[in-house]
Amino acid sequence: MWLVAGTLTAAGCAPTTQVSNPSSGSVAPPSGPTAGALANQDGHTTSWTARGVVNALADAGLAVPNAVDNTAQECPIARCRQSIVTDTLRVKSFPTAAQAESHAAPRGLHRTGRIVVAFAPPLTEAERIPYRQALAGLAN
């Protein structure tokens, strides 16, 4: 079942926070204590959080509508640092690439470094290609 971005109001569910998508700007990674590192193939790292990746995808012109920070709901179980869900994908950042791999591999999810992406089921394989290309570009 795919959870559409929104605020959960059921008893025991913490409220979510709407994430703004910038309309322009660079894809420079965020900095600060919540920034995770996204390792490229040469082993160099760039600081990226789930929110930073979603913002970078938006800056690249890809659809990431209705972004919501659902870290409080998903990360205690997934052991991620941050989780952002949109209508097109769900992005989680992990403390290490190994933790990201152990989350992504059994679920068949896309992983780049410490970032794991789950695409919304309605997205076709062809529609996922530009997202994968943009994610690969973030790692370089």
Side-chain angles (χ1 to χ4, degrees):
M1 182 172 120
W2 185 259
L3 174 66
V4 176
T7 302
L8 299 175
T9 57
C13 293
T16 56
T17 305
Q18 187 72 24
V19 177
S20 63
N21 288 330
S23 59
S24 65
S26 70
V27 293
S31 60
T34 62
L38 184 64
N40 67 18
Q41 294 172 347
D42 296 328
H44 298 97
T45 58
T46 306
S47 294
W48 288 102
T49 61
R51 179 187 313 250
V53 169
V54 169
N55 289 346
L57 292 172
D59 285 347
L62 297 169
V64 287
N66 302 314
V68 174
D69 185 325
N70 63 345
T71 300
Q73 293 79 23
E74 294 205 7
C75 288
I77 294 167
R79 299 184 186 265
C80 53
R81 281 192 176 162
Q82 188 175 49
S83 177
I84 304 292
V85 64
T86 77
D87 290 350
T88 53
L89 50 82
R90 178 182 316 261
V91 180
K92 290 182 176 139
S93 55
F94 287 84
T96 68
Q99 288 172 306
E101 177 64 19
S102 65
H103 180 80
R107 295 167 179 84
L109 302 177
H110 179 82
R111 181 186 71 85
T112 303
R114 297 179 185 189
I115 300 295
V116 174
V117 176
F119 294 99
L123 284 179
T124 66
E125 195 58 39
E127 291 171 323
R128 296 173 188 199
I129 292 171
Y131 291 92
R132 287 187 179 118
Q133 290 171 337
L135 290 164
L138 297 178
N140 294 323

